């Protein structure tokens, strides 16, 4: 048995078929040139791999976190040889995969379970019956180009895979187009050094899903193909009014440092899934999820800053850099929703589309710019630095200031401080009415901080769907959403001058909408001031 340690990255793929072929050649050339420029010793090889994945119809192996695969490998000028592999449960952190695996040579692509060590099976497993029940679920077929690199007494294999995932009698074949870096021997630090080199030349994003995971998803799709032949694993990114953000499921038994690393890993994983969703289906909703996960990460560093070194806290600078880059998303999302309302209520579709297009072009990043950013060196470097921090979680330096609070006490203190600051600001609204949208920005920042802290700590005091918690935070969400809409209205009002002719109906609608939102904000804030903090009310 060996433990596989590897980093997986998806390559940004061009749209047209001709570009794909050209880019495949360019990727190989780029990697070779990069290693030569760094004067690294390496050997290069190309081979074709066919992998076949097996389980029972009831997915008995998957339920026990076991993956069974046979692999046929054919090098140039040689006959194909086969091996069978079982991978057992492992860990995935921000694209770093660690899984125990067992490899045995066989004569063809049919697995023979009896050849594996008996110790990998549970005592109750009937291996002969399991063998009888096996079926092929899916397969992967790809060309693999590898570079075995020697670096600082370590060896790392860089693999570039290009091919497809296939399921029998199912036409949809997702493309494989990715880079894997596997530690063959030596210190894992070499893995990160080479990864940083690749960031400088290739458009990448961390890969959370293995080929097997993508294959299982395809298999499940194929089972329902008769219901919806065009179903997709990832939806189109359309959601409702509020973006649903999963809360971090901390345990009361967590120590403070453990709570921090658990939360950062949770947020980083969701960030990377969010990037995958955006790449598959670009939309403001999916981009908003990315922006929110960046803010959650940043809030974690702010909440637990006394536990971290100066170098670790410095990661906040990079997080803030990307948060500022995406700070327009809320407004763009609001404008999209508001102009849709104008179209529905006044049947002015042409005005809405013209105005929206003008705003999007002048103010905001376009889809190609966003995709380039998400696959860029700086964004990848940030995620790799966060991964490095997580891997060091058991050797973090002692905190600057000893904190004797339990996690629950620590969380309640932060939630209370946030609530007091927000309550003071909302109470001020009723003493001094706001005159413009800018007057609401202080409350917006306090609301954002309070809601992010709730996502970090709420499960310490209540279940995620607990009515008390939902009722407490709902006025906050309503206030935050209304402020975003007010900001969006202000942008729309400023942009009316760009239209070819005056739009009196549209202007009046915007004024009325703004007045209505201002009245609603007074009601929402009054409601928020009556709510009793749930973390003080629950055991």
């Amino acid at each position: 048995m060996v433990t596989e340690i590897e980093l997986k990255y998806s390559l940004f793929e061009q749209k047209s078929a001709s570009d794909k072929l050209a880019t495949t050649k360019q990727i190989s050339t780029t990697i070779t040139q990069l290693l030569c420029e760094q004067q690294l010793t390496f050997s290069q090889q190309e081979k074709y791999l066919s992998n076949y994945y097996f389980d029972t119809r009831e997915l008995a192996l998957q339920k026990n976190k076991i993956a069974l695969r046979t692999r046929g490998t054919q090098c140039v000028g040689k006959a194909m040889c086969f091996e069978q592999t079982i991978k057992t449960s492992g860990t995935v952190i921000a694209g770093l995969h660690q899984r125990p695996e067992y490899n045995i040579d066989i004569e063809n692509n049919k697995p023979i379970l009896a050849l594996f060590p008996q110790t990998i099976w549970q005592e109750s497993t009937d291996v002969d019956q399991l063998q009888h029940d096996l079926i092929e679920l899916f397969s992967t077929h790809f060309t693999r180009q590898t570079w075995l690199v020697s670096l600082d007494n370590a060896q790392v294999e860089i693999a570039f895979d290009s091919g497809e995932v296939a399921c029998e009698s199912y036409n949809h074949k997702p493309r494989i187009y990715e880079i894997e870096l596997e530690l063959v021997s030596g210190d894992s630090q070499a893995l990160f050094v080479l990864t940083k080199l690749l960031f400088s030349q290739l458009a990448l994003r961390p890969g959370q899903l293995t080929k097997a995971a993508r294959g299982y998803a395809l298999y499940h799709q194929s089972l329902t193909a008769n219901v919806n032949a065009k179903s997709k694993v990832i939806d189109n990114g359309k959601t409702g009014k509020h973006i649903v953000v999963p809360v971090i499921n901390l345990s009361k038994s967590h120590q403070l440092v453990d709570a921090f690393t658990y939360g950062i890993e949770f947020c980083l994983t969701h960030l990377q899934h969010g990037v995958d969703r955006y790449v598959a289906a670009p939309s403001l909703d999916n981009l908003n999820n990315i922006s929110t996960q960046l803010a959650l990460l940043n809030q974690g560093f702010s909440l637990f800053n006394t536990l971290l070194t100066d170098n670790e806290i410095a990661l906040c600078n990079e997080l803030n850099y990307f948060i500022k880059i995406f700070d327009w998303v809320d407004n763009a999302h609001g404008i999209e929703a508001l102009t849709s309302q104008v179209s529905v209520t006044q049947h002015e579709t042409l005005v809405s589309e013209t105005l929206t297009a003008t705003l999007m072009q002048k103010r905001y990043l376009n889809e190609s710019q966003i995709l380039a950013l998400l696959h860029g060196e700086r964004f990848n470097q940030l995620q790799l630095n966060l991964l490095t921090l997580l891997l060091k979680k058991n050797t973090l330096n002692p905190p600057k200031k000893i904190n004797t609070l339990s996690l629950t006490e620590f969380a309640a203190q932060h939630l209370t401080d946030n609530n007091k600051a927000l309550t003071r600001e909302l109470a001020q609204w009723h003493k001094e009415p706001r005159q413009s949208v800018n007057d609401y920005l202080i409350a917006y920042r306090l609301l954002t901080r309070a809601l992010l802290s709730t996502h970090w700590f709420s499960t310490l005091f209540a279940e995620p769907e607990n009515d008390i918690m939902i009722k407490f935070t709902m006025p906050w969400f309503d206030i935050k959403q209304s402020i975003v809409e007010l900001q969006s209205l202000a942008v729309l009002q400023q942009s009316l001058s760009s239209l070819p002719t005056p739009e009196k109906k549209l202007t009046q609608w915007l004024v009325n909408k703004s007045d209505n939102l201002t009245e609603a904000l007074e009601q929402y804030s009054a409601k928020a001031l009556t709510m009793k903090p749930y973390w003080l009310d629950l055991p």
Side-chain angles (χ1 to χ4, degrees), residues 138-210:
F138 59 91
S139 58
T140 62
H141 310 273
F142 53 93
T143 299
R144 167 169 288 181
Q145 298 181 59
T146 61
W147 295 259
L148 185 59
V149 185
S150 298
L151 176 66
D152 296 334
N153 298 317
Q155 281 195 316
V156 175
E157 182 183 74
I158 302 172
F160 168 39
D161 296 339
S162 178
E164 64 184 19
V165 185
C167 196
E168 189 174 353
S169 302
Y170 190 51
N171 291 332
H172 180 48
K173 293 179 172 58
R175 184 161 165 76
I176 294 170
Y177 196 60
E178 60 191 34
I179 297 285
E180 294 182 0
L181 297 96
E182 181 178 354
L183 182 66
V184 177
S185 63
D187 192 335
S188 61
Q189 191 61 32
L191 205 61
F192 301 117
V193 172
L194 284 177
T195 301
K196 291 176 183 178
L197 284 177
L198 295 184
F199 287 164
S200 67
Q201 298 296 324
L202 300 177
L204 302 166
R205 68 180 188 278
Q208 282 286 336
L209 295 179
T210 64

Side-chain angles (χ1 to χ4, degrees), residues 59 71 166 170 194 197 206 230 244 270 285 293 305 334 379 394 468 513:
L59 302 180
R71 166 175 288 178
Y170 190 51
L194 284 177
L197 284 177
K230 295 183 179 180
V244 177
H270 279 79
D285 279 349
Q293 291 304 326
N305 64 357
F379 194 57
N394 293 324
I468 295 177
K513 180 70 174 176

Side-chain angles (χ1 to χ4, degrees), residues 235-244 277 285-286 289 333:
D235 64 34
N236 65 3
K238 297 298 181 183
T239 61
K241 179 179 177 182
H242 297 308
I243 301 298
V244 177
R277 285 176 62 85
D285 279 349
N286 284 336
N289 273 317
H333 199 270

Side-chain angles (χ1 to χ4, degrees), residues 256-308:
L256 293 186
V257 171
D258 295 333
F260 169 74
T261 54
Y262 179 92
I264 295 299
E265 180 180 341
F266 178 96
C267 295
L268 185 54
T269 298
H270 279 79
L271 171 66
Q272 293 174 354
H273 282 309
V275 171
D276 283 342
R277 285 176 62 85
Y278 183 85
V279 172
S283 72
L284 285 175
D285 279 349
N286 284 336
L287 194 58
N288 207 341
N289 273 317
I290 293 172
S291 177
T292 301
Q293 291 304 326
L294 287 168
L296 272 174
L297 282 164
N298 195 50
Q299 184 72 358
F301 279 85
S302 175
L303 292 168
F304 293 92
N305 64 357
T306 58
L307 307 178
L308 305 173

Side-chain angles (χ1 to χ4, degrees), residues 400-452:
K400 301 172 185 175
K401 181 173 65 177
I402 297 176
N403 197 323
T404 59
L405 296 177
S406 69
L407 177 59
T408 303
E409 293 169 330
F410 178 84
Q413 185 180 84
H414 279 286
L415 291 171
T416 299
D417 290 345
N418 288 334
N419 186 57
K420 286 181 178 178
L422 180 57
T423 298
R424 284 195 298 268
E425 177 62 20
L426 295 182
Q428 196 68 21
W429 287 8
H430 297 275
K431 296 178 181 179
E432 301 175 9
R434 309 293 93 173
Q435 301 298 320
S436 71
V437 66
N438 289 332
D439 293 336
Y440 292 102
L441 294 184
I442 293 176
Y444 181 83
R445 287 191 286 269
L446 292 173
L447 274 165
T448 300
R449 190 181 307 159
L451 287 169
L452 291 172

Side-chain angles (χ1 to χ4, degrees), residues 304-324:
F304 293 92
N305 64 357
T306 58
L307 307 178
L308 305 173
T309 66
D310 291 338
N311 287 338
E312 289 157 356
I313 293 174
L315 286 173
C316 288
N317 294 331
E318 283 300 284
L319 285 167
N320 281 317
Y321 170 81
F322 287 103
I323 289 170
K324 289 178 181 177

